[in-house]
Amino acid sequence: MSVLAPEVHNELAQLLDALQSSDNSVRSQAEEHLANNWTTNKPNMLLMGLVEQIQGSNDPTTRSFAAVIFRRIASKARKLPNGETVELFLSLPQEEGYLIRSKLLEALGAEGTNAVRNKIGDAVAEIAREYSDGKAQWPEILGILFTLSISKEVGQREIAYRIFSTTPGIIEKQHEDTVLSAFTKGFKDDDVSVRLAAMEAFASFFRSINKKSQQKYYALIPEVLNILPPIKEKQESEELTRALVSLIDLAEVAPKMFRPLFHNLVAFSISVIQDKELTDQARQNALELMATFADYAPAMVKKDPTYTTDMITQCLSLMTDIGVDDDDAAEWNASDDMDPDESDLNHVAGEQCMDRLANKLGGATILAPTFSWLPRMMNSDAWRDRHAALMAISAISEGCRDLMVGELNQVLELVVPALRDPHPRVRWAGCNALGQMSTDFAGTMQEKYHTIVVPAIIPVLDSPEPRVQAHAAAALVNFCEEAEKNILEPYLDDLLTHLFQLLQSPKRYVQEQALSTIATIADSAEAAFAKYYDTLMPLLFRVLQQENTKELRLLRAKAMECATLIALAVGKERLGNDAMSLVQLLATIQQGITDPDDPQAQYLMHCWGRMCRVLGQDFLPFLPSVMPPLMELASAKADIQLLDDEEQVEQVQQDEGWELVPLRGKVIGIKTSTLDDKHMAIELLVVYAQVLEGSFAPYVLEVMEKITLPGLAFFFHDPVRVVSAKCVPQLLNSYKKAFGNPSNELQTLWRGTVEKLLEVLSAEPAVDTLAEMYQCFYESVEVMGKNCLTQQNMETFIDSAHSALEDYKDRVAVRAEEREGDAVEEGEEESEDMLFAIEDDQTLLSDMNKAFHCIFKNHGVTFLPAWGRLHSTYEQFLKSQDGTQRQWGLCIMDDVLEFCGEESWKYKDYIVEPLIAGCRDTAPANRQAAAYGIGVAAHKGGPQWSAFFGPAIELLFQVTRLPNARGDDDVYATENACAAIAKVLHYNASSVPNQEEVIRQWIDILPVVNDEEAAPYAYAYLAQLIDQRNPLVIGQAGKVFVFIAQALEAETLQGQTAQRIVEAGKVLLQVAGLDPQTVLASLPVETQQTVRAMFG
């Protein structure tokens, strides 16, 4: 029975017709009428009318469209009288809401047309989600859905599971027996569409519950897997694709629950991948499922007897599925599209899977089965086999780096001959492999194999096929990016002769690539490139002076890039008058850019940044024309769209440069290309502030207020926040250089800035970005210097630090719970996500540490009252089982000792025990921190600490006597202990009862040749002993002189300290009566040369 009057329904029916009109103007007027007359003024009546249209209309199209509009309107935001914003349906009076949702459920149960039922189901799911998210109740929905799930009608059973899938929150709280029963029935349903809907619902539900709850449902996996074989037998590719997607979801969340049946699943998936009667999508989904297990449970897949060999075989087979109907590559070579969208093709799926297997399983697992195929494939008569083998090498080299790097000779023996292959696509793949290897084995490839690689690629630049030429040039980019200039120099003539020839190619993409390669060579060759300047620069100028036609835009952009990189390589002096000509040319090009899609605009921004670095202060006259477009880009707001329906989502997905984010049942589209430009623009502002320093001051206030400080809270794009954080200290430094410190201008800028910095320390949600914010804070404090923070600033900082540390402790606890709930198998590493999370937390703690250090350094004892509020946290960290936390606590205590002088004694109860325990810590970094702390206590802690140093000396000697004390991991702890003993002997000698014996032992723990902070203290004390003609030093002058020579050669001593120790060394040899030549003879030749140069 209808609640609304017939005339209301007539008006609404006409509106729904108009909203579906093919006439744009009719549709636009209808949208406006819907928004202004209905949604805003009478939303309750609108929703009631729509639900009655869904119930009562005889036209299935109207019923379906009414359901779509209902869902859209119900989810719109609406402001309540109390100021709270809620979704429109939840704002309805309780009785009306009850009536509308009851009618909606009745319509769902009564609808007989599947397509319409699905739209009504989407509307029901939306309302259910709103109730679930709002922690509100919709008691009757579960009963209705469970009833539908056992209905005799297939469509009703299916829609029940579809709704569960969309809104799993409505069954999360149900008793597991009820849920198990519902899913079991669905998995065993007679109809495949219901079975698939149940699978999708289970995957969605499973993702939504915690790990502990998930284990209750592991028993369902056999039932889930039983759904697949019958579908494959019937060759139903579309259904199989859907089923595999659900399995992929489950494998991502809990791969180990498949363990009992994993081998069977491997066999089934392999049979799907190799079944060419199925669609490519179904085969690729089976491949993706198997790759997902490698991603999330590498130890489990390694234990399967056939997984690795079968997967590699299938990947290589898929990789040969290329160039269908284009055997001679004529079509491929005629195409000018260098980056076609091939993401859905089998050969790309095979390559990507090989890459993942290598990265997740490693060389020890992957190499042998892969290389059992590759030599045969390289010797095959079929070009597709040879191509696949080369692409496989490209795919696995990163993941197998550690083992392959020792076998590069053999790998190159396979790859290099391919550059002379008769088939162009094989030569292209050979270039691809060498380019990828040049990146993955960077350093080794360039240093050890340049005589093989470069002479092999250069002739390919002469290939008759432009695409092969371009790819050979691209491979050289990879090689040259990582090459030292001395390696490149002998090849420059040959390389550039060929690349200059490519600039004459009729294919513009070849010219563009040649310019990119020349630019990279210039960047690596630096001054050695000057020889080619006169040949190339006039040519680039000619390109830039040509008419600005649309076809030439990218070529001109590449020419700009090349010219400015050459300018950076050869320097201002070599440029001479060309420097000004070039920037004037860039200015002319900038004035001619009118099309927002012109690629020259973005290239130009980077070119200005390079020219600023080249010209330094001479760049200033160009800033007025460079800054406005840069400021416009840097000021860009986020382009965000709320996408209401699937059509809008599909439309946006087709456009490049968008990211889609699901949010509370809707999809938000964020235009990332705009944000990438914003990020790039702020990066360039950092360059200008860095290079121009005080001369950039006229722009600082505007950049700080309009770009950088708002950028710190730009939550749509992490990189914008990070680069804004990099910019703040540079802007402060610019003002400091321009106006001095103290100055009114700098203080005014700082007051507004520090408030914002402290605010973002509490507001930043991403752990890795929060670390950047702490870095921004301490670098800014460093620029501002002594006493720049008020007491309130320091209190606010401690509030933020406390909040960040509490959040950190929560994350540690969650990780511990996850480990417990997901027992790690023997030989299995932590998941990559967990390792990244741990690394992010360690970086955060490190940057927080530096912030504390910087405040203590610049504020000393005035920081102690605020600092003291976190005593319980420091204590907890110092006693933690986690070495990172202990190190954090030790470093904080070191700062108190270093910067608070005699006041530090008040905190001895917090400091002494951790220093003692730290010297015995299993973690070398913690022994280093403890040793350093004892040293600064001796240096700066005051006389109260004297009684501590006697026992502490022995602890420090123990640090230096540990096994492998001079190993890479332990040497810094050893050298800090050595320096700390020197500080005790120098500043607190009276506290050491047996000085002579201590000095004797101390000499034996020299030299200090790694730690540049520790070395000056150790060697200053050694110089003091020499000045005193201490017999313990004079008596073993030869050994002591060698220690001096080693430190000088290692350059851990610089400036006055180095000079002082040189003078002391001369005195030592003279007093001991030693011949310097005899002493030096025992040292390596390089050390002898360094020492002779310093000793004259």
Side-chain angles (χ1 to χ4, degrees), residues 181-206:
S181 169
F183 280 125
T184 303
K185 284 191 180 77
F187 297 152
K188 292 180 175 177
D189 198 280
D190 293 339
D191 191 275
V192 68
S193 62
V194 179
R195 296 198 295 274
L196 289 172
M199 266 185 94
E200 288 161 351
F202 178 64
S204 178
F205 164 73
F206 194 84

Side-chain angles (χ1 to χ4, degrees), residues 350-583:
E351 287 165 29
Q352 291 175 345
C353 188
M354 285 290 282
D355 176 59
R356 286 162 70 183
L357 293 176
N359 276 298
K360 295 298 178 180
L361 306 184
T365 302
I366 289 294
L367 280 179
T370 303
F371 275 86
S372 72
W373 282 106
L374 296 192
R376 282 180 281 168
M377 293 174 76
M378 285 306 298
N379 289 321
S380 167
D381 291 336
W383 71 264
R384 291 178 179 83
D385 289 349
R386 303 195 298 277
H387 183 279
L390 291 162
M391 295 307 288
I393 290 170
S394 299
I396 68 171
S397 61
E398 182 190 6
C400 300
R401 185 187 191 286
D402 292 346
L403 287 180
M404 276 179 77
V405 76
E407 309 291 336
L408 284 182
N409 263 328
Q410 291 93 311
V411 179
L412 287 170
E413 282 172 12
L414 279 178
V415 174
V416 169
L419 272 61
R420 301 186 295 274
D421 197 278
H423 200 282
R425 295 199 72 166
V426 177
R427 273 179 276 128
W428 186 96
C431 292
N432 196 77
L434 286 183
Q436 191 63 50
M437 289 165 69
S438 295
T439 299
D440 294 334
F441 306 107
T444 307
M445 277 283 280
Q446 287 77 2
E447 287 162 25
K448 289 189 177 179
Y449 298 104
H450 61 91
T451 55
I452 296 172
V453 175
V454 180
I457 296 178
I458 288 173
V460 189
L461 296 169
D462 295 331
S463 287
E465 304 87 4
R467 288 193 71 169
V468 179
Q469 289 178 324
H471 212 53
L476 285 169
V477 169
N478 293 44
F479 184 88
C480 296
E481 270 179 338
E482 305 293 344
E484 297 294 332
K485 56 184 175 185
N486 62 308
I487 284 171
L488 282 184
E489 230 168 307
Y491 302 105
L492 288 180
D493 281 353
D494 208 3
L495 279 170
L496 291 165
T497 301
H498 282 80
L499 289 166
F500 289 166
Q501 285 171 357
L502 292 189
L503 292 175
Q504 313 306 317
S505 168
K507 292 286 188 181
R508 196 168 292 112
Y509 67 80
V510 176
Q511 296 173 18
E512 290 161 2
Q513 182 58 63
L515 284 173
S516 289
T517 307
I518 292 167
T520 304
I521 291 171
D523 198 30
S524 295
E526 296 174 351
F529 196 86
K531 176 182 172 185
Y532 310 95
Y533 180 89
D534 290 333
T535 307
L536 186 60
M537 207 54 138
L539 194 152
L540 295 173
F541 270 67
R542 279 200 298 278
V543 173
L544 296 175
Q545 286 160 347
Q546 284 175 12
E547 189 185 347
N548 187 17
T549 61
K550 193 164 186 177
E551 309 80 62
L552 289 175
R553 282 174 178 176
L554 187 56
L555 184 68
R556 284 159 58 87
K558 297 276 186 184
M560 273 189 260
E561 177 184 55
C562 190
T564 51
L565 278 167
I566 289 170
L568 208 53
V570 301
K572 184 175 169 183
E573 299 305 316
R574 179 65 185 84
L575 278 172
N577 293 334
D578 283 351
M580 285 302 156
S581 302
L582 181 55
V583 286

Side-chain angles (χ1 to χ4, degrees), residues 53-55 57-68 104 107-108 110-124 155 159 162:
Q53 287 285 328
I54 295 167
Q55 270 190 310
S57 173
N58 293 322
D59 177 22
T61 304
T62 302
R63 295 198 303 277
S64 178
F65 189 64
V68 170
L104 193 62
L108 180 70
E111 181 58 58
T113 306
N114 269 349
V116 180
R117 186 191 290 115
N118 289 344
K119 294 298 182 189
I120 301 170
D122 292 341
V124 169
I159 197 63
R162 274 176 61 109

Side-chain angles (χ1 to χ4, degrees), residues 4 31 69 122 146 179 210 302 390 402 410 427 431 453 558 576 588 615 642 727 883 889 895 921 946 999:
L4 301 181
E31 287 281 1
I69 298 294
D122 292 341
F146 279 128
V179 179
N210 62 39
K302 284 178 189 177
L390 291 162
D402 292 346
Q410 291 93 311
R427 273 179 276 128
C431 292
V453 175
K558 297 276 186 184
T588 305
L615 295 176
L642 179 62
C727 199
D895 289 333
D921 203 299
S946 297
I999 291 169

Side-chain angles (χ1 to χ4, degrees), residues 108-390:
L108 180 70
E111 181 58 58
T113 306
N114 269 349
V116 180
R117 186 191 290 115
N118 289 344
K119 294 298 182 189
I120 301 170
D122 292 341
V124 169
E126 170 57 30
I127 303 304
R129 180 199 62 75
E130 290 181 27
Y131 277 116
S132 179
D133 288 353
K135 308 288 187 248
Q137 298 298 312
W138 185 1
E140 59 270 30
I141 187 172
L142 268 174
I144 296 287
L145 291 179
F146 279 128
T147 302
L148 287 174
S149 74
I150 53 174
S151 162
K152 289 180 180 175
E153 195 178 330
V154 170
Q156 291 190 338
R157 299 200 300 275
E158 183 183 358
I159 197 63
Y161 289 108
R162 274 176 61 109
I163 294 171
F164 284 143
S165 176
T166 309
T167 320
I170 58 180
I171 49 172
E172 276 177 20
K173 303 289 188 292
Q174 298 307 302
H175 191 276
E176 61 255 28
D177 288 348
T178 309
V179 179
L180 282 164
S181 169
F183 280 125
T184 303
K185 284 191 180 77
F187 297 152
K188 292 180 175 177
D189 198 280
D190 293 339
D191 191 275
V192 68
S193 62
V194 179
R195 296 198 295 274
L196 289 172
M199 266 185 94
E200 288 161 351
F202 178 64
S204 178
F205 164 73
F206 194 84
R207 268 187 176 280
S208 72
I209 57 179
N210 62 39
K211 280 191 177 291
K212 199 170 183 182
S213 301
Q214 286 172 356
Q215 292 173 17
K216 299 169 186 172
Y217 300 96
Y218 281 14
L220 288 174
I221 288 302
E223 303 290 352
V224 172
L225 294 180
N226 283 340
I227 295 169
L228 278 81
I231 299 175
K232 179 179 181 285
E233 281 166 25
K234 291 179 181 175
Q235 295 284 294
E236 295 287 356
S237 288
E238 198 171 322
E239 292 168 354
L240 188 57
T241 298
R242 274 181 67 189
L244 288 165
V245 167
S246 296
L247 283 186
I248 290 164
D249 279 350
L250 291 169
E252 284 178 0
V253 180
K256 291 175 191 170
M257 72 175 169
F258 290 89
R259 187 190 284 110
L261 294 167
F262 184 62
H263 186 63
N264 296 358
L265 183 56
V266 171
F268 175 79
S269 299
I270 296 296
S271 74
V272 172
I273 299 166
Q274 62 192 13
D275 188 341
K276 294 182 181 177
E277 298 302 312
L278 294 167
T279 62
D280 287 349
Q281 188 61 64
R283 296 170 67 200
Q284 288 174 27
N285 278 20
L287 187 76
E288 175 62 29
L289 174 61
M290 289 293 98
T292 302
F293 282 108
D295 287 342
Y296 292 93
M300 184 173 90
V301 305
K302 284 178 189 177
K303 289 176 183 173
D304 187 83
T306 61
Y307 175 93
T308 306
T309 50
D310 284 351
M311 279 293 286
I312 285 167
T313 302
Q314 293 312 314
C315 284
L316 291 170
S317 174
L318 289 171
M319 287 165 68
T320 63
D321 189 359
I322 185 171
V324 179
D325 302 327
D326 188 28
D327 207 51
D328 61 357
E331 188 182 317
W332 173 82
N333 197 46
S335 170
D336 286 0
D337 185 357
M338 294 297 97
D339 193 22
D341 183 11
E342 298 183 328
S343 57
D344 58 346
L345 299 185
N346 283 340
H347 73 94
V348 175
E351 287 165 29
Q352 291 175 345
C353 188
M354 285 290 282
D355 176 59
R356 286 162 70 183
L357 293 176
N359 276 298
K360 295 298 178 180
L361 306 184
T365 302
I366 289 294
L367 280 179
T370 303
F371 275 86
S372 72
W373 282 106
L374 296 192
R376 282 180 281 168
M377 293 174 76
M378 285 306 298
N379 289 321
S380 167
D381 291 336
W383 71 264
R384 291 178 179 83
D385 289 349
R386 303 195 298 277
H387 183 279
L390 291 162

Side-chain angles (χ1 to χ4, degrees), residues 678-694:
K678 181 181 178 77
H679 170 253
M680 178 266 293
I682 302 172
E683 264 187 329
L684 290 169
L685 290 171
V686 175
V687 170
Y688 293 147
Q690 256 175 350
V691 173
L692 300 174
E693 293 191 314

Side-chain angles (χ1 to χ4, degrees), residues 70 98 133 422 497 577 605 852 878 915 935 941 1061 1088:
F70 180 95
Y98 174 80
D133 288 353
T497 301
N577 293 334
M605 295 294 172
F852 275 85
L878 286 162
L915 289 181
I1061 200 69
Q1088 290 183 40

